[in-house]
PDB file of all heavy atoms in Angstrom:
ATOM      1  N   ALA A1133      17.086 -16.592 -15.446  1.00 94.00           N
ATOM      2  CA  ALA A1133      15.999 -16.596 -16.422  1.00 94.00           C
ATOM      3  C   ALA A1133      15.050 -17.757 -16.168  1.00 94.00           C
ATOM      4  O   ALA A1133      13.821 -17.605 -16.259  1.00 94.00           O
ATOM      5  CB  ALA A1133      16.566 -16.662 -17.838  1.00 94.00           C
ATOM      6  N   GLU A1134      15.579 -18.934 -15.850  1.00 94.00           N
ATOM      7  CA  GLU A1134      14.736 -20.091 -15.561  1.00 94.00           C
ATOM      8  C   GLU A1134      13.894 -19.859 -14.309  1.00 94.00           C
ATOM      9  O   GLU A1134      12.719 -20.217 -14.259  1.00 94.00           O
ATOM     10  CB  GLU A1134      15.589 -21.351 -15.406  1.00 94.00           C
ATOM     11  CG  GLU A1134      16.145 -21.866 -16.712  1.00 94.00           C
ATOM     12  CD  GLU A1134      17.119 -23.023 -16.539  1.00 94.00           C
ATOM     13  OE1 GLU A1134      17.451 -23.358 -15.374  1.00 94.00           O
ATOM     14  OE2 GLU A1134      17.538 -23.587 -17.561  1.00 94.00           O
ATOM     15  N   ALA A1136      12.941 -16.956 -13.214  1.00 94.00           N
ATOM     16  CA  ALA A1136      11.917 -15.972 -13.579  1.00 94.00           C
ATOM     17  C   ALA A1136      10.783 -16.649 -14.353  1.00 94.00           C
ATOM     18  O   ALA A1136       9.601 -16.365 -14.122  1.00 94.00           O
ATOM     19  CB  ALA A1136      12.535 -14.850 -14.405  1.00 94.00           C
ATOM     20  N   MET A1137      11.130 -17.554 -15.254  1.00 94.00           N
ATOM     21  CA  MET A1137      10.113 -18.275 -16.022  1.00 94.00           C
ATOM     22  C   MET A1137       9.247 -19.141 -15.097  1.00 94.00           C
ATOM     23  O   MET A1137       8.029 -19.177 -15.239  1.00 94.00           O
ATOM     24  CB  MET A1137      10.774 -19.159 -17.086  1.00 94.00           C
ATOM     25  CG  MET A1137      11.307 -18.397 -18.277  1.00 94.00           C
ATOM     26  SD  MET A1137      10.007 -17.618 -19.238  1.00 94.00           S
ATOM     27  CE  MET A1137       9.186 -19.041 -19.888  1.00 94.00           C
ATOM     28  N   MET A1140       6.900 -16.888 -13.294  1.00 94.00           N
ATOM     29  CA  MET A1140       5.830 -16.416 -14.173  1.00 94.00           C
ATOM     30  C   MET A1140       4.817 -17.533 -14.450  1.00 94.00           C
ATOM     31  O   MET A1140       3.606 -17.292 -14.479  1.00 94.00           O
ATOM     32  CB  MET A1140       6.417 -15.883 -15.478  1.00 94.00           C
ATOM     33  CG  MET A1140       7.157 -14.564 -15.274  1.00 94.00           C
ATOM     34  SD  MET A1140       8.126 -13.984 -16.676  1.00 94.00           S
ATOM     35  CE  MET A1140       6.996 -14.025 -18.006  1.00 94.00           C
ATOM     36  N   ASP A1146      -1.777 -19.426 -10.916  1.00 88.00           N
ATOM     37  CA  ASP A1146      -2.564 -18.809  -9.843  1.00 88.00           C
ATOM     38  C   ASP A1146      -3.678 -17.942 -10.411  1.00 88.00           C
ATOM     39  O   ASP A1146      -4.813 -17.967  -9.912  1.00 88.00           O
ATOM     40  CB  ASP A1146      -1.662 -17.976  -8.924  1.00 88.00           C
ATOM     41  CG  ASP A1146      -0.731 -18.826  -8.085  1.00 88.00           C
ATOM     42  OD1 ASP A1146      -0.947 -20.056  -8.004  1.00 88.00           O
ATOM     43  OD2 ASP A1146       0.234 -18.261  -7.519  1.00 88.00           O
ATOM     44  N   LEU A1147      -3.377 -17.179 -11.456  1.00 86.00           N
ATOM     45  CA  LEU A1147      -4.399 -16.329 -12.078  1.00 86.00           C
ATOM     46  C   LEU A1147      -5.505 -17.172 -12.694  1.00 86.00           C
ATOM     47  O   LEU A1147      -6.689 -16.853 -12.553  1.00 86.00           O
ATOM     48  CB  LEU A1147      -3.776 -15.436 -13.147  1.00 86.00           C
ATOM     49  CG  LEU A1147      -2.969 -14.246 -12.643  1.00 86.00           C
ATOM     50  CD1 LEU A1147      -2.250 -13.563 -13.803  1.00 86.00           C
ATOM     51  CD2 LEU A1147      -3.873 -13.254 -11.934  1.00 86.00           C
ATOM     52  N   ASP A1151      -9.366 -17.155 -11.560  1.00 86.00           N
ATOM     53  CA  ASP A1151     -10.435 -16.876 -12.515  1.00 86.00           C
ATOM     54  C   ASP A1151     -11.466 -18.000 -12.507  1.00 86.00           C
ATOM     55  O   ASP A1151     -12.668 -17.764 -12.514  1.00 86.00           O
ATOM     56  CB  ASP A1151      -9.844 -16.681 -13.911  1.00 86.00           C
ATOM     57  CG  ASP A1151     -10.872 -16.204 -14.911  1.00 86.00           C
ATOM     58  OD1 ASP A1151     -11.686 -15.323 -14.557  1.00 86.00           O
ATOM     59  OD2 ASP A1151     -10.857 -16.704 -16.044  1.00 86.00           O
ATOM     60  N   GLN A1159     -21.341 -18.662 -10.580  1.00 94.00           N
ATOM     61  CA  GLN A1159     -22.353 -19.647 -10.984  1.00 94.00           C
ATOM     62  C   GLN A1159     -23.072 -20.198  -9.762  1.00 94.00           C
ATOM     63  O   GLN A1159     -24.291 -20.358  -9.772  1.00 94.00           O
ATOM     64  CB  GLN A1159     -21.703 -20.789 -11.779  1.00 94.00           C
ATOM     65  CG  GLN A1159     -22.701 -21.830 -12.260  1.00 94.00           C
ATOM     66  CD  GLN A1159     -23.707 -21.270 -13.231  1.00 94.00           C
ATOM     67  OE1 GLN A1159     -23.337 -20.564 -14.165  1.00 94.00           O
ATOM     68  NE2 GLN A1159     -24.981 -21.542 -13.015  1.00 94.00           N
ATOM     69  N   GLU A1172     -39.034 -19.933  -2.180  1.00 96.00           N
ATOM     70  CA  GLU A1172     -39.939 -18.902  -1.668  1.00 96.00           C
ATOM     71  C   GLU A1172     -41.287 -18.949  -2.386  1.00 96.00           C
ATOM     72  O   GLU A1172     -42.332 -18.772  -1.756  1.00 96.00           O
ATOM     73  CB  GLU A1172     -39.290 -17.524  -1.788  1.00 96.00           C
ATOM     74  CG  GLU A1172     -38.145 -17.341  -0.800  1.00 96.00           C
ATOM     75  CD  GLU A1172     -37.357 -16.054  -1.002  1.00 96.00           C
ATOM     76  OE1 GLU A1172     -37.631 -15.317  -1.970  1.00 96.00           O
ATOM     77  OE2 GLU A1172     -36.456 -15.789  -0.180  1.00 96.00           O
ATOM     78  N   SER A1177     -46.981 -20.525  -2.028  1.00 96.00           N
ATOM     79  CA  SER A1177     -48.097 -21.339  -2.509  1.00 96.00           C
ATOM     80  C   SER A1177     -48.641 -22.230  -1.393  1.00 96.00           C
ATOM     81  O   SER A1177     -49.864 -22.312  -1.191  1.00 96.00           O
ATOM     82  CB  SER A1177     -47.636 -22.198  -3.689  1.00 96.00           C
ATOM     83  OG  SER A1177     -48.628 -23.114  -4.061  1.00 96.00           O
ATOM     84  N   SER A1186     -57.441 -23.507   6.433  1.00 96.00           N
ATOM     85  CA  SER A1186     -57.775 -23.035   7.774  1.00 96.00           C
ATOM     86  C   SER A1186     -59.091 -22.251   7.742  1.00 96.00           C
ATOM     87  O   SER A1186     -59.954 -22.418   8.617  1.00 96.00           O
ATOM     88  CB  SER A1186     -56.665 -22.142   8.326  1.00 96.00           C
ATOM     89  OG  SER A1186     -55.505 -22.890   8.538  1.00 96.00           O
TER      90      SER A1186
END
Side-chain angles (χ1 to χ4, degrees):
E1134 287 173 354
M1137 285 294 293
M1140 289 170 52
D1146 290 346
L1147 285 172
D1151 188 42
Q1159 181 63 47
E1172 289 173 355
S1177 172
S1186 293

